[in-house]
């Protein structure tokens, strides 16, 4: 560094140098130690008020009976403390087991399918030529960019019983093949949304379709960061494609995969918008997952049970945190600047 | 089979797989747009009509002139835009300050704050809907766009800070030091040196927050009661009747809602990925 004078360059718009030099040691009158805290304060306040306090409130509400009279804008009634009653109702409800099953099975299947399909497409993108890979990336961006509400609406239309493209395609299959695979050959008018299992099938297709692009593009970015020398060396040693993937690609991409697994679990565990729209609101109780059940108890009926809804939300959050906290440690380990 | 022929077949197979992935991804989006431009007799049919023939502007015109619910569609688009833009501008200021703090300084609660950012992202927003609903009611922001704006700032902020800190960290410290030596104050340095260099990352982060807010459905559904304040995703329900759905109209409106998101996506997809899996991918 060359010594530059304290006279600011282009000095016309700065204050007198003498005042500058005195100020420089102290920035804008803050002690250097307090600067990061001042910078952090607004953001931290937002998070505290809008996320941390509601988390506490959620737990607090789950021990109370909260209904219409307690949430009036004008002199609301105090909420009655009911201890573990809400939790007893939740765990004792037949809806609990069906909602839990729907939540867990849907998440497991969807996360697995999304990751497998996304990884395969990522590897494919890495192998394709420049033009072709750009072409495919632009295509999968279209699926990724579609808003969740539009996703649900489009898939509902594709699976429409009379005018849906899916039933039309299934009817194209040769009858013997369709019989062999599905035990039926005529798909005209086949309803997909009356049955919980077929409704969830459509939901899985819609969510996998919308979320595999992100996995693919992330895997592609990871693959591009692996030095090509490693692959050349593997080739020289006569390693097969499969063992190259197992010995080089997978270990190096492990941190990427762990982040992708966590994000996918978080997204798929609490899926709401698409389910709400495909199931047509809160009338079909068999189709509830924990998110939708919590919403239905709190906002779905004429007598809102906010305490009960909060208890369901607590159960969902606890399950999710138990699964993901293992991975938070992983992320903390891989991020070299969290120390 | 000689190796050259085998390689050529491999190439063809790869490209065919690429085309198949492209079609699977694009077809539903294409179908949404195509349905918007089909006359009703081509929509409600059991046969497959790949292109609108002839294309009809009926649904698009109806959505724009007759309105949706009781209001013109512009009102819902405007509500969505107001909420998303306000939330993004507010969020960007908070996020930039916080990201600068964690990327540029070492201080006592830095690690705890970063871990806090991670953990709050693990908690499903849907679970916070009930307490936030009562909070918004209590402070009189129920049925106000302002309430929705505030909530969306909270929902997008942790991720924005997380993403933005990598962009701040990527700006070489020496540049700021040089500016210090030139006698610029802390604020001037930030504004003249750091800010312009972080700007592209800030744009990417803001666009991500914009998309999240633009698409947000659950809170908009729960915190707004007045039709005149509906955002676009909620306004789509006007097309769904008791017995039938106006498929042409809902596809036209959905297409309209998707266009800005798609444009933004293509602009920032590369940066977004590096921000999302920051650290895990050294991209």
């Amino acid at each position: 560094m060359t010594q530059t004078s304290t006279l600011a360059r282009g000095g016309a718009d700065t204050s007198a140098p003498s005042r500058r030099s005195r100020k420089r040691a102290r920035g804008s009158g803050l002690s250097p130690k307090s600067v990061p805290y001042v910078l952090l304060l607004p953001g931290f306040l937002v998070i505290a008020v809008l996320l941390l306090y509601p988390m506490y409130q959620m737990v607090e509400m789950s021990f109370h009976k909260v209904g219409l009279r307690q949430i009036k804008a004008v002199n609301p009634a105090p909420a009655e403390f009911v201890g573990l009653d809400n939790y007893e109702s939740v765990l004792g409800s037949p809806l609990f087991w069906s909602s839990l099953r729907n939540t867990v099975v849907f998440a497991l299947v969807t996360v697995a399918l999304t990751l497998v399909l996304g990884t395969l497409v990522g590897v494919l993108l890495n192998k394709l030529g420049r033009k072709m890979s750009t072409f495919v990336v632009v295509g999968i961006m279209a699926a990724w960019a579609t808003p969740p509400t539009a996703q649900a609406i489009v898939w509902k239309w594709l699976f429409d019983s009379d005018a849906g493209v899916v039933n039309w395609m299934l009817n194209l299959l040769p009858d013997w093949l369709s019989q062999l695979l599905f035990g039926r050959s005529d798909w005209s008018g086949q309803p997909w949304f009356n049955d919980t299992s077929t409704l969830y099938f459509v939901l899985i297709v819609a969510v996998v379709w919308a979320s595999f692009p992100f996995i693919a593009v992330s895997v592609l970015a990871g693959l591009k960061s692996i030095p090509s020398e490693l692959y050349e060396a593997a080739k020289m040693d006569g390693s097969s494609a499969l063992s190259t993937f197992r010995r080089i690609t997978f270990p190096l991409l492990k941190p990427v995969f762990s982040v992708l697994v966590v994000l996918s679990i978080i997204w798929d565990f609490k899926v709401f918008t698409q389910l709400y729209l495909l199931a047509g609101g809160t009338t079909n109780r068999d189709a509830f997952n924990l998110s939708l059940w919590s919403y239905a108890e709190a906002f779905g009926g004429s007598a809102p049970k906010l305490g009960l809804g909060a208890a369901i939300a607590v159960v969902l959050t606890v399950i999710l945190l138990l699964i993901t906290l293992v991975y938070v440690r992983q992320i903390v380990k891989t991020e070299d600047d969290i120390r | 089979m000689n190796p050259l022929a085998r390689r050529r077949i491999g190439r063809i197979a790869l490209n065919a797989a690429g085309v198949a992935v492209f079609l699977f991804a694009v077809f539903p989006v294409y179908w949404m747009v195509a349905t918007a431009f089909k006359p009703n007799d081509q929509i409600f049919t059991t046969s497959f009509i790949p292109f609108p023939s002839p294309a009809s502007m009926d649904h698009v015109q109806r959505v724009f002139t007759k309105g949706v619910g009781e209001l013109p569609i512009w009102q819902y688009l405007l509500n969505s835009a107001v909420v998303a833009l306000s939330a993004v501008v507010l969020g960007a200021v908070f996020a930039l300050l916080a990201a600068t703090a964690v990327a540029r300084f070492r201080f006592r609660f830095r690690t705890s704050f970063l871990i806090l950012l991670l953990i709050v992202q693990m908690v499903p927003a849907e679970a916070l809907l009930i307490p936030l609903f009562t909070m918004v009611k209590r402070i009189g922001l129920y049925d106000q766009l302002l309430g929705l704006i505030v909530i969306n700032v909270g929902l997008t902020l942790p991720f924005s800070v997380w993403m933005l800190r990598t962009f701040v960290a990527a700006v070489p410290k020496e540049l700021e030091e040089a500016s210090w030596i030139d006698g610029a104050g802390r604020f001037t340095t930030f504004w003249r040196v750091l800010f312009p260099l972080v700007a592209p990352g800030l744009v990417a982060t803001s666009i991500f927050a914009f998309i999240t807010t633009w698409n947000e459905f659950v809170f908009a559904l729960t915190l707004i009661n007045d039709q005149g304040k509906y955002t676009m995703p909620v306004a789509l329900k006007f097309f769904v009747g008791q017995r039938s759905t106006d498929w042409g109209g809902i596809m036209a409106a959905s297409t309209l809602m998707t266009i800005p998101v798609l444009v933004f996506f293509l602009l920032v997809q590369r940066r977004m990925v590096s921000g999302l899996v920051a650290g895990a991918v050294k991209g």
Side-chain angles (χ1 to χ4, degrees):
Chain A
M1 279 271 186
T2 49
Q3 274 291 339
T4 36
S5 71
T6 50
L7 276 169
R9 294 181 193 158
D13 58 342
T14 54
S15 54
S18 63
R19 277 192 47 204
R20 266 271 161 239
S21 55
R22 211 178 51 228
K23 263 208 159 165
R24 210 189 328 155
R26 297 224 330 270
S28 45
L30 290 165
S31 76
K33 258 197 136 85
S34 64
V35 172
Y37 297 105
V38 173
L39 291 175
L40 212 54
L41 191 65
F44 178 74
L45 281 180
V46 169
I47 290 171
V49 172
L50 292 171
L51 298 169
L52 296 178
Y53 177 68
M55 277 180 214
Y56 159 78
Q57 275 277 299
M58 168 176 75
V59 177
E60 169 88 356
M61 279 170 91
S62 71
F63 295 112
H64 289 80
K65 190 172 177 215
V66 187
L68 272 182
R69 290 182 41 240
Q70 284 77 24
I71 53 169
K72 282 190 312 194
V74 189
N75 57 36
E80 179 196 348
F81 181 80
V82 292
L84 290 170
D85 281 11
N86 285 326
Y87 288 95
E88 272 171 29
S89 321
V90 169
L91 296 175
S93 164
L95 279 177
F96 174 71
W97 295 108
S98 66
S99 306
L100 185 68
R101 190 198 59 220
N102 290 343
T103 303
V104 174
V105 173
F106 169 79
L108 283 177
V109 173
T110 311
V111 170
L113 286 175
T114 309
L115 282 166
V116 170
L117 180 64
T119 306
L120 286 173
V121 173
V123 171
L124 175 73
L125 286 171
N126 198 36
K127 279 196 168 22
L128 287 172
R130 235 193 127 66
K131 277 192 188 129
M132 191 67 193
S133 129
T134 309
F135 169 74
V136 177
V137 166
V138 169
I140 62 179
M141 282 293 146
W144 187 8
T146 308
T149 36
Q151 287 164 26
I153 285 159
V154 170
W155 283 99
K156 198 164 185 163
W157 177 227
L158 288 165
F159 277 91
D160 188 75
S161 57
D162 298 318
V165 174
V166 174
N167 280 350
W168 173 83
M169 274 171 73
L170 288 165
N171 268 333
L172 282 191
L173 289 173
D175 283 358
W176 62 268
L177 183 67
S178 179
Q179 277 291 2
L180 189 74
L181 291 173
F182 311 104
R184 58 183 304 173
S185 55
D186 182 24
W187 294 87
S188 308
Q190 155 72 18
W192 290 88
F193 299 99
N194 298 356
D195 224 31
T196 302
S197 55
T198 48
L199 180 128
Y200 267 89
F201 174 77
V202 178
L203 184 67
I204 289 168
V205 172
V207 173
V208 169
W209 170 78
S211 25
F212 89 87
F214 165 63
I215 309 286
V217 178
S218 306
V219 168
L220 176 66
L223 288 170
K224 285 212 161 110
S225 69
I226 298 176
S228 55
E229 291 84 3
L230 290 174
Y231 289 113
E232 277 153 29
K235 215 175 200 159
M236 301 269 281
D237 295 344
S239 152
S240 72
L242 194 65
S243 83
T244 305
F245 183 84
R246 241 193 38 205
R247 300 251 165 99
I248 298 176
T249 314
F250 189 74
L252 284 169
L253 287 191
K254 219 168 158 178
V256 182
F257 279 122
S258 60
V259 175
L260 294 179
V261 167
V262 178
L263 289 173
S264 303
I265 289 175
I266 295 171
W267 290 332
D268 294 344
F269 227 87
K270 56 170 187 150
V271 66
F272 180 93
T273 303
Q274 296 93 326
L275 177 62
Y276 177 91
L277 291 168
L278 289 179
T282 55
T283 44
N284 183 354
R285 301 164 74 84
D286 291 338
F288 285 177
N289 67 356
L290 290 171
S291 291
L292 188 54
W293 184 28
S294 163
Y295 176 88
E297 291 295 353
F299 306 106
S302 49
K305 301 191 189 79
L306 293 155
L308 193 64
I312 301 164
V314 170
V315 172
L316 170 67
T317 307
V318 167
I319 298 174
L320 204 50
L321 284 180
L322 285 177
I323 299 173
T324 49
L325 280 180
V326 182
Y327 281 101
V328 172
R329 290 184 46 201
Q330 173 75 31
I331 299 173
V332 171
K333 258 190 270 176
T334 52
E335 288 279 330
D336 26 8
D337 68 341
I338 301 185
R339 262 184 234 132
Chain B
M1 206 153 77
N2 66 31
L4 205 69
R6 189 181 308 165
R7 187 172 296 172
R8 186 168 299 153
I9 288 179
R11 271 262 146 253
I12 292 170
L14 279 181
N15 283 328
V19 171
V21 170
F22 178 88
L23 289 177
F24 170 64
V26 168
F27 182 76
V29 180
Y30 164 74
W31 203 240
M32 171 172 82
V33 181
T35 306
F37 289 103
K38 282 179 182 175
N40 267 338
D41 60 318
Q42 287 177 35
I43 292 180
F44 300 99
T45 165
T46 48
S47 55
F48 177 73
I49 301 171
F51 311 102
S53 56
S56 107
M57 293 299 284
D58 291 0
H59 304 297
V60 181
Q61 257 175 342
R62 192 161 37 85
V63 166
F64 277 108
T65 52
K66 246 194 75 191
V68 178
E70 292 168 6
L71 296 156
I73 197 162
W74 300 114
Q75 184 62 55
Y76 310 118
L77 282 168
L78 183 70
N79 293 343
S80 273
V82 166
V83 172
L85 288 172
S86 316
V88 164
V89 171
L90 281 172
V93 175
F94 296 147
L96 185 58
L97 296 177
T100 307
V102 292
R104 274 288 179 264
F105 296 90
R106 292 281 178 272
F107 52 96
R108 220 178 113 193
F109 298 105
R110 184 174 170 278
T111 308
S112 340
F113 181 75
L114 284 170
I115 290 172
L116 171 78
L117 282 185
L118 273 178
I119 290 174
V120 291
Q121 287 181 73
M122 306 281 160
V123 175
E126 288 78 359
L128 298 181
L129 178 67
I130 297 168
L132 282 169
F133 166 80
T134 51
M135 200 163 105
V136 161
K137 268 216 135 148
R138 211 178 309 135
I139 53 181
L141 284 180
Y142 178 74
D143 218 359
Q144 303 284 338
L145 287 183
L146 181 60
L148 219 45
I149 292 166
V150 171
I151 297 278
N152 276 297
V153 172
L155 293 179
T156 51
L157 191 69
F159 182 77
S160 295
V161 178
W162 189 252
M163 187 165 159
L164 203 51
R165 63 182 240 290
T166 47
F167 293 117
V168 178
V171 176
K173 264 202 166 111
E174 290 76 17
L175 293 170
E176 283 158 80
E177 281 158 8
S179 162
W180 279 93
I181 290 173
D182 280 353
R186 191 169 273 138
F187 188 77
T188 316
T189 300
F190 177 83
W191 196 238
R192 292 264 179 89
V193 180
L194 187 63
F195 185 76
L197 290 167
V198 174
L202 186 63
V203 169
T205 310
S206 300
I207 287 182
F208 196 85
F210 178 91
I211 292 173
T212 309
T213 310
W214 177 264
N215 291 350
E216 203 290 314
F217 175 72
V218 192
F219 286 88
L221 177 76
T222 315
L223 302 179
I224 299 291
N225 189 25
D226 170 7
Q227 274 192 29
K229 298 191 181 120
Y230 277 179
T231 56
M232 217 33 214
V234 180
L236 292 177
K237 75 179 185 192
F238 290 120
F239 293 99
V240 183
Q242 282 291 0
R243 283 198 183 70
S244 66
T245 299
D246 171 6
W247 287 109
I250 205 168
M251 292 299 162
S254 299
T255 304
L256 195 65
M257 184 173 74
T258 307
I259 291 167
V261 184
L262 191 56
V263 170
F264 277 150
F265 246 84
L266 293 172
L267 286 176
V268 294
Q269 58 102 356
R270 196 156 292 154
R271 266 178 211 286
M272 212 156 66
V273 171
S274 68
L276 273 169
V277 266
V281 180
K282 299 273 182 286

